[in-house]
């Protein structure tokens, strides 16, 4: 009879121990990430000398967050297993695993709901630290995209650069109205319908020749040069956009896989911690056997 009671007690779920382990894991991860934040800030140099790159800081932050999550899961799992008072190793280990699951759900809830913003007013440090994983992954994706296309945002509208060249070609000696008409004609030629390209080219050449006081043949040659410049700029912009999209896709895929691996490692650490927290049978059943 006593063995049956002992078996039933050993397999009962202790939710108090699970929630205690989850809270402890959250606080432990907050402390570890604050330590990592302090170390990261200590490596920065306001003068700009020997300062780590953005990519290095993002990678280091991600690795630190993963490591701190594993350690915090181990601590929370150990406490959940010990407070459960179960003398059976698998039972204590499962308490640690469930504690890790509760911790993970709390973090996801804080990051994806309005509760995170509400709690951010009173517990801004906790919610910002718990958001380290998402920030690290997002920062890595953004860094990779900017690295692949560093001047993508600097290309701008190629038509604006050509219009600027048209307006400045005559050294501002022609009337402004003629410069505006020439710029509008060139814009219409470059961005107009391909079926009316010949007519638009003639109109742009005439407006350019009138604005700059040059022969029509020379104006037509300039218009054709603008066309080549416009097409080259569009091709370069497209190439950089494709490179940025590919870098973002690749990094997002890697980040998802690394995040999944970090969760698995955290679960294993919590399971091991719970097993390490198993109490001895004498401590669990000593009083009941008497």
């Amino acid at each position: 009879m006593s063995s049956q009671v002992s078996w039933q007690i050993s397999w009962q779920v202790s939710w108090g121990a699970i929630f205690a382990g989850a809270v402890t894991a959250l606080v432990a991860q907050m402390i570890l990430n604050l330590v990592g934040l302090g170390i990261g800030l200590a490596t920065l140099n306001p003068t700009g000398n020997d300062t780590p790159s953005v990519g290095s800081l993002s990678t280091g932050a991600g690795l630190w967050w993963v490591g701190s999550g594993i350690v915090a899961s181990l601590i929370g799992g150990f406490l959940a297993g010990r407070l459960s008072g179960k003398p059976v190793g698998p039972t204590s280990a499962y308490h640690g695993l469930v504690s890790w699951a509760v911790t993970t759900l709390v973090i996801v809830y804080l990051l994806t709901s309005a509760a995170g913003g509400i709690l951010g007013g009173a517990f801004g440090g906790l919610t910002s630290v718990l958001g380290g994983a998402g920030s690290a992954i997002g920062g890595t994706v953004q860094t990779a995209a900017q690295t692949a296309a560093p001047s993508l945002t600097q290309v701008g509208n190629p038509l604006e650069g050509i219009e600027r060249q048209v307006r400045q070609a005559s050294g501002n000696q022609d009337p402004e109205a003629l410069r505006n008409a020439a710029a509008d004609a060139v814009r219409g030629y470059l961005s107009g319908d391909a079926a009316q390209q010949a007519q638009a080219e003639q109109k742009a050449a005439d407006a350019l020749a009138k604005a700059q006081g040059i022969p029509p043949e020379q104006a037509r040659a300039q218009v054709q040069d603008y066309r080549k410049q416009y097409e080259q700029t569009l091709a370069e912009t497209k190439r950089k956009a494709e490179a940025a999209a590919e870098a973002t896709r690749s990094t997002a895929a890697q980040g998802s896989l690394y995040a999944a691996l970090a969760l698995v490692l955290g679960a294993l650490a919590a399971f091991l911690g719970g097993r390490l927290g198993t109490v001895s049978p004498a401590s669990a059943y000593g009083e009941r056997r008497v």
Side-chain angles (χ1 to χ4, degrees):
M1 184 68 179
S2 61
S3 61
Q4 182 179 1
V5 174
S6 300
W7 181 85
Q8 292 177 352
I9 294 175
S10 64
W11 286 100
Q12 289 178 352
V13 179
S14 177
W15 286 105
I18 289 174
F19 287 124
V23 171
T24 303
L26 288 173
V27 176
Q29 187 167 0
M30 180 186 68
I31 295 174
L32 291 173
N33 278 280
L34 288 176
V35 172
L37 178 62
I39 295 175
L41 293 177
T43 61
L44 299 179
N45 190 344
T47 61
N49 298 326
D50 300 330
T51 297
S53 63
V54 177
S56 299
L57 288 175
S58 179
T59 302
L63 293 176
W64 184 276
W65 191 89
V66 171
S68 63
I70 294 174
V71 174
S73 299
L74 181 65
I75 296 174
F78 177 84
L79 186 63
R82 178 57 58 91
L83 293 181
S84 68
K86 309 302 181 183
V88 181
T91 305
S92 299
Y94 291 142
H95 275 76
L97 183 62
V98 176
S99 176
W100 163 85
V102 172
T103 304
T104 303
L105 291 178
V106 170
I107 293 177
V108 172
Y109 177 72
L110 291 176
L111 294 178
T112 59
S113 67
I118 297 174
L119 293 177
F123 306 103
L126 176 60
T127 53
S128 62
V129 171
L130 292 180
S135 300
I137 295 174
T140 304
V141 172
Q142 182 178 6
T143 301
Q146 293 177 351
T147 302
S151 59
L152 181 60
T153 57
Q154 299 177 0
V155 173
N157 187 351
L159 291 175
E160 295 179 357
I162 293 176
E163 287 183 3
R164 191 179 305 109
Q165 295 180 33
V166 172
R167 297 177 189 277
Q168 297 176 354
S170 60
N172 296 329
Q173 295 178 0
D174 54 293
E176 182 178 358
L178 295 180
R179 295 199 305 271
N180 293 336
D184 293 340
V186 172
R187 171 184 281 272
Y189 165 63
L190 296 178
S191 60
D193 189 1
Q196 302 178 353
Q197 184 174 349
Q199 181 179 358
E201 180 180 357
Q202 182 62 42
K203 180 179 179 181
D206 294 341
L208 196 62
K210 185 177 181 180
Q212 299 182 12
I214 58 178
E217 295 78 7
Q218 183 179 352
R220 184 181 297 273
Q222 287 190 15
V223 170
Q224 293 175 354
D225 290 339
Y226 290 146
R227 184 74 185 185
K228 294 179 181 179
Q229 178 181 345
Y230 176 72
E231 292 176 351
Q232 291 175 355
T233 304
L234 284 181
E236 182 68 12
T237 303
K238 181 179 179 180
R239 184 189 67 80
K240 291 182 177 181
E242 291 176 350
E246 176 61 22
T248 302
R249 182 202 62 78
S250 177
T251 306
Q254 293 180 2
S256 298
L257 294 176
Y258 291 153
L261 178 60
L263 289 175
V264 172
L265 293 177
L268 292 176
F271 188 86
L272 176 61
R275 193 174 186 88
L276 294 176
T278 304
V279 299
S280 63
S283 300
Y285 302 135
E287 296 180 357
R288 292 187 179 89
R289 287 178 178 176
V290 174

